[in-house]
Amino acid sequence: MEILMSFCYSRCALVRRLLVGSLAITLSGASCLAQSPQNWEGDTTEARFVDNLLQKMTLEEKLGQMSQIPLNQKEDVSPDERILKGQVGSFLFITDAKEINRLQHLAVEKGRLHIPLIFGFDVIHGFRTIYPVPLALAASWDPAQAEEAQRMAAKEASAVGINWTFAPMVDIARDPRWGRIMEGAGEDPYLGSQMAAAQIRGFQGDKIGSPEHILACVKHFAGYGAAVGGRDYDSSSISDEELWNIYLPPFEAAVRAGSGSLMSAYMDLNGVPATGNRFLLHDVLREKWKFDGFVVSDWESVKSLTTHGFASGPQDAAVRAVNAGVDMEMTSHVFRDELAAAVKQGLVQQSTIDEAVRRILTAKYRLGLFTSPYVASSRAETELVTPEQRQSARKAAERSAVLLRNEGRLLPLSKSLTSIAVIGPLADSQADITGSWSLATHPADAVTVFEGIRKRFPSGTTINWAKGVEIERVQPSIFDPQYPSPKPVLKTDAERDAEFAHAIDLIKQSQVAVLVLGEAQTMSGERASRSTLTLPGRQQQLLEAAVATGKPIVLVLLNGRPLDITWASEHVPAILDAWYPGTEGGNAVADLLFGDANPGGKLPVSWPRSVGQVPIFYARTLTQIPNALDTRYWDGSSAPLYPFGYGLSYTTFKMDDLKTESISVKAGSKLAVSIELQNTGGAAGDQVVQLYTHQRSGTASRPTRELKAFRRVSLKPGEKQTVTFALDTNDLGFWSPQTHRWSIEPGPFDLWVGADSSATQHTTFTVLP
Ligand code: BGC
């Protein structure tokens, strides 16, 4: 328990403490900003520079570079002293520009070798301005949108001196019980790979060291999303076939896109902890993919190799991690404490240490930290939550929302309504709308759905607001004693009933009601697995009572995972999934509800009917009685409620005339595929044209459908466009469990193009050897 307590902490509470602590410290020497550490002579080409420096370093200094510590970690030696002694190479969670400059000043001016520090932070979906969560960005089906959001996030984070983000998370997740499904791009390796590469470009720019950009860290390598039972941190058992074809491709895409670092995962993969897994960190990452960035462990995951019952003690943990391929240890300090002796005993080669340090120094060099280690403090004063950031976050939120239902075209709502009820525990919660990784934001910056709607109407319009119900935590957090999280709201039954009745009364008095329901901020994310997918608390009852009033009801979901809305899908006329849309979420939702923006997002996950269906994903294989794929359960459908790729619009689209340029294509070449898309409705809108294939036979049975291309297209009413894809046959290759290698297998393929994974426009083609 004690180990657990220090290892897994209440992230929000801890970080908030750290941030508050950091604000109290001021920059001691104002002159340090003016000084640049021109202590470097000689050759400045990357490799020679780094080698030169490496030769001057003691073993202790090298191990220092391999150590990352969080601010305010309770230790006998202060962080300042560690810096001066060369015992630390990186800090995480410091977000105060002055403090970053002060620490950097110690390192580059007072440290023996003047080596700059690298400052890391979880810039997952924004820094101070919060963008939609990554699952929502994936729902935009627009890699350019994801790139732009991360570019803006990097810009803001770099304004306070952060050099490095622990993102993107590219873990494929097919089990929405796992809370971290919210941090990734969902279930599909192709969509996941596109989003992974886009986010790397967004964070890093054209190259590592681009101004106003930061170093990316693709994580968590690998297989974290397959935690058994969807329970965070639990082991993953993944077949080779799934590992190569489903879980690894987004990592490979991120590496190919130039990710400067990578984080090893917490859990066991097929019995071997990922942080001590040489197959992953060396054979795949270094040998096969030629990754030349550095590897950081997850939080204390080096020391935890003992917790796993893998390493026999701290030294063994350090030895196994470094020999497996971990270059920097996050927060635990067994590298620093144990590796010097291990090198002397011959358990670790000196060259292994040198290689790790070389990679870390190279990243610092590429970031330009040796020549420009400081951040201009004026940036932090002028570049946070700017109108430009807000505008960008609003657009990202609009493009990420998914319209799940719109019976009788209830949406968009009329702008001349005179009374609207905005109801629900999330309707006016500034914290909840930002979602999980919003550690550096100020909740007061966020616009809630209630506020977004209220601002649109003149004072004469009645906007009624009530919570109706609370979302109360059922399972107490074991971390509460150390890092108290907000106390559950404990109300009497009578108070609860009165609140509920008040909300229903307001609905009765209004022309229309918008119910904002879903999950509280802390219910999705790390350590936030759920054993049910239902609307938590009494939200379902509230929804049913609202519908029973007979008033038109719009359900807006704030959520980090698909929820069980099977009842709502039959009884609530309009359902808009806004995910956790971020700082500008309320404005974006209001734009969407009143038709100033048209929903164009699509589901990046199959949406289950109930928790009993999970894991559920569209790329299943055909097996016995294939025409009964949807009736596998005795007591319900085995089809999802909404298929992968699904999402409605306020307009309608038609797709026809699917063509391939020829009926066959040589393996390794491209095949042109086209379809006619027309906006047949009355509003401008976006459609995501999706292309799926199926290999009919081969050395392994292949999924019924696999996404191989997509494009989000905007069309005016009546407008037509020929959408053409250059289908790359390299994307048809797969790792075969029979041949144990990756190849494109010649033979016939099916091809579908449409608006989701149940697309019906069909043709065939043959891949020739
Ligand atoms: C998470 C990582 C995160 C790290 C630092 C860990 O608990 O698994 O995703 O980057 O903490 O905050």
Side-chain angles (χ1 to χ4, degrees):
M1 174 82 166
E2 198 187 281
I3 297 170
L4 262 179
M5 293 285 274
S6 64
F7 170 51
C8 317
Y9 44 90
S10 166
R11 180 58 47 84
C12 280
L14 173 64
V15 172
R16 292 228 156 89
R17 252 180 221 204
L18 298 178
L19 300 183
V20 171
S22 73
L23 290 174
I25 306 168
T26 51
L27 185 63
S28 54
S31 64
C32 83
L33 276 184
Q35 293 176 19
S36 157
Q38 298 304 345
N39 302 298
W40 301 103
E41 322 102 25
D43 202 328
T44 50
T45 58
E46 181 181 294
R48 268 183 289 188
F49 177 89
V50 169
D51 278 342
N52 218 355
L53 180 52
L54 206 51
Q55 277 166 25
K56 296 180 186 150
M57 294 173 77
T58 64
L59 181 55
E60 190 189 15
E61 285 165 340
K62 289 177 185 172
L63 299 180
Q65 286 303 308
M66 295 166 69
S67 302
Q68 183 186 51
I69 54 179
L71 183 71
N72 291 0
Q73 190 172 52
K74 296 260 175 310
E75 285 197 287
D76 298 342
V77 182
S78 71
D80 288 16
E81 259 179 277
R82 292 235 180 262
I83 294 171
L84 295 174
K85 289 182 173 161
Q87 291 175 344
V88 55
S90 173
F91 283 89
L92 76 163
F93 287 162
I94 308 180
T95 57
D96 179 60
K98 289 199 177 93
E99 176 64 354
I100 285 178
N101 278 338
R102 188 188 71 79
L103 295 173
Q104 193 66 292
H105 175 73
L106 285 181
V108 298
E109 302 294 342
K110 304 274 164 52
R112 188 180 81 87
L113 290 173
H114 317 287
I115 303 175
L117 298 159
I118 177 168
F119 293 90
F121 192 74
D122 289 281
V123 186
I124 310 287
H125 51 107
F127 176 66
R128 171 78 183 269
T129 309
I130 299 300
Y131 285 73
V133 295
L135 189 63
L137 289 175
S140 74
W141 284 63
D142 183 3
Q145 176 59 70
E147 180 176 339
E148 176 62 6
Q150 301 302 28
R151 182 183 76 78
M152 294 298 282
K155 187 170 189 254
E156 223 185 33
S158 70
V160 303
I162 287 165
N163 323 112
W164 179 24
T165 176
F166 306 122
M169 188 199 96
V170 304
D171 297 309
I172 294 295
R174 297 178 157 191
D175 186 339
R177 289 173 298 182
W178 189 54
R180 300 194 83 170
I181 191 172
M182 175 282 280
E183 279 177 65
E187 74 181 47
D188 186 70
Y190 184 82
L191 180 63
S193 298
Q194 303 297 314
M195 289 295 163
Q199 291 183 81
I200 299 291
R201 291 191 297 270
F203 285 127
Q204 295 188 166
D206 295 338
K207 64 177 182 54
I208 294 170
S210 300
E212 301 187 338
H213 286 77
I214 56 182
L215 192 76
C217 180
V218 57
K219 71 187 187 185
H220 307 83
F221 199 54
Y224 187 24
V228 63
R231 293 181 290 272
D232 203 9
Y233 311 135
D234 274 9
S235 304
S236 298
S237 293
I238 303 177
S239 70
D240 285 350
E241 191 270 321
E242 289 174 301
L243 189 65
W244 286 109
N245 294 322
I246 294 157
Y247 289 91
L248 292 183
F251 285 96
E252 187 174 2
V255 167
R256 302 253 172 271
S259 183
S261 67
L262 171 143
M263 186 185 291
S264 64
Y266 278 131
M267 75 311 137
D268 291 327
L269 173 65
N270 299 332
V272 181
T275 296
N277 197 316
R278 191 167 161 86
F279 161 73
L280 284 175
L281 297 174
H282 180 267
D283 301 356
V284 176
L285 190 61
R286 301 287 179 199
E287 293 285 303
K288 202 167 164 50
W289 294 347
K290 313 286 177 221
F291 176 63
D292 79 339
F294 72 95
V295 173
V296 65
S297 75
D298 204 340
W299 186 283
E300 291 200 356
S301 71
V302 176
K303 190 177 99 183
S304 295
L305 293 181
T306 54
T307 313
H308 285 268
F310 179 70
S312 58
Q315 189 191 63
D316 194 29
V319 168
R320 298 241 220 157
V322 79
N323 284 340
V326 175
D327 302 315
M328 184 186 280
E329 180 184 15
M330 182 188 280
T331 63
S332 54
H333 32 82
V334 293
F335 276 11
R336 194 177 71 205
D337 298 344
E338 307 288 346
L339 283 183
V343 169
K344 286 192 187 97
Q345 291 162 32
L347 298 171
V348 175
Q349 298 298 309
Q350 179 65 52
S351 57
T352 304
I353 303 290
D354 286 351
E355 209 34 59
V357 178
R358 186 176 283 115
R359 292 181 190 126
I360 294 164
L361 295 177
T362 301
K364 292 182 176 183
Y365 181 95
R366 290 180 183 168
L367 280 168
L369 290 174
F370 284 98
T371 47
S372 309
Y374 302 118
V375 60
S377 53
S378 59
R379 288 193 62 199
E381 281 147 31
T382 54
E383 294 186 26
L384 307 186
V385 270
T386 57
E388 187 202 9
Q389 286 282 354
R390 283 188 175 277
Q391 192 46 41
S392 177
R394 182 168 177 165
K395 182 174 161 227
E398 286 171 7
R399 290 178 72 77
S400 301
V402 182
L403 182 63
L404 296 174
R405 192 163 198 252
N406 197 16
E407 287 302 292
R409 298 188 176 227
L410 175 56
L411 292 178
L413 296 171
S414 156
K415 289 178 181 164
S416 39
L417 289 168
T418 52
S419 59
I420 305 167
V422 185
I423 305 294
L426 304 177
D428 196 30
S429 165
Q430 289 178 305
D432 290 311
I433 201 163
T434 58
S436 170
W437 285 102
S438 45
L439 305 170
T441 197
H442 295 182
D445 293 337
V447 180
T448 65
V449 174
F450 167 65
E451 185 59 17
I453 293 176
R454 200 191 54 77
K455 280 196 309 190
R456 302 179 75 86
F457 286 90
S459 48
T461 306
T462 311
I463 314 286
N464 292 308
W465 173 77
K467 273 188 172 180
V469 296
E470 299 284 350
I471 300 176
E472 288 158 280
R473 186 171 180 127
V474 178
Q475 181 74 14
S477 164
I478 60 161
F479 309 107
D480 284 354
Q482 199 174 1
Y483 304 114
S485 47
K487 287 275 164 283
V489 190
L490 294 175
K491 293 190 169 158
T492 63
D493 285 350
E495 282 168 338
R496 286 199 181 104
D497 291 347
E499 192 170 42
F500 193 102
H502 174 58
I504 300 301
D505 277 350
L506 291 180
I507 295 173
K508 287 181 184 156
Q509 291 160 30
S510 309
Q511 289 169 297
V512 67
V514 176
L515 268 78
V516 187
L517 308 180
E519 300 179 301
Q521 181 190 39
T522 51
M523 297 184 78
S524 266
E526 187 172 352
R527 258 190 326 100
S529 295
R530 292 186 61 206
S531 62
T532 64
L533 298 177
T534 48
L535 289 166
R538 294 203 303 158
Q539 294 183 93
Q540 179 67 28
Q541 282 159 268
L542 182 70
L543 186 61
E544 292 184 20
V547 170
T549 63
K551 293 284 179 177
I553 303 293
V554 178
L555 171 60
V556 173
L557 290 173
L558 300 191
N559 53 321
R561 52 160 70 83
L563 296 172
D564 180 342
I565 52 163
T566 301
W567 184 89
S569 74
E570 289 162 11
H571 299 95
V572 179
I575 308 175
L576 180 73
D577 190 2
W579 313 100
Y580 293 114
T583 302
E584 280 291 314
N587 284 330
V589 168
D591 289 344
L592 290 158
L593 292 180
F594 294 94
D596 290 330
N598 188 350
K602 302 279 181 177
L603 293 176
V605 285
S606 304
W607 194 289
R609 291 167 193 272
S610 71
V611 75
Q613 286 188 322
V614 307
I616 187 166
F617 45 89
Y618 79 95
R620 60 203 296 195
T621 38
L622 280 174
T623 66
Q624 183 68 355
I625 322 183
N627 54 0
L629 282 181
D630 293 345
T631 58
R632 295 293 200 224
Y633 294 121
W634 186 88
D635 55 355
S637 166
S638 39
L641 183 62
Y642 300 115
F644 174 80
Y646 172 86
L648 303 172
S649 165
Y650 297 152
T651 189
T652 49
F653 293 94
K654 190 172 88 182
M655 269 189 246
D656 56 20
D657 207 11
L658 172 63
K659 284 192 197 122
T660 58
E661 71 178 323
S662 65
I663 52 164
S664 59
V665 57
K666 256 183 97 52
S669 324
K670 292 189 175 154
L671 176 71
V673 181
S674 66
I675 194 154
E676 299 302 318
L677 173 70
Q678 186 179 7
N679 181 342
T680 49
D686 290 5
Q687 180 60 291
V688 179
V689 184
Q690 305 167 34
L691 185 158
Y692 296 85
T693 61
H694 169 235
Q695 179 178 331
R696 286 196 175 167
S697 62
T699 60
S701 45
R702 302 298 301 142
T704 43
R705 289 184 182 204
E706 293 179 280
L707 181 71
K708 294 297 172 192
F710 62 89
R711 189 164 320 132
R712 182 165 175 160
V713 182
S714 304
L715 292 182
K716 298 196 187 77
E719 196 183 353
K720 262 191 188 168
Q721 197 182 104
T722 306
V723 180
T724 305
F725 297 103
L727 175 64
D728 189 347
T729 51
N730 285 306
D731 289 335
L732 304 178
F734 73 103
W735 187 92
S736 166
Q738 293 241 69
T739 64
H740 287 199
R741 62 187 186 87
W742 186 95
S743 66
I744 309 166
E745 297 185 349
F749 282 74
D750 294 294
L751 184 151
W752 296 264
V753 177
D756 62 45
S757 54
S758 63
T760 50
Q761 293 276 324
H762 174 255
T763 187
T764 57
F765 65 95
T766 302
V767 172
L768 305 171

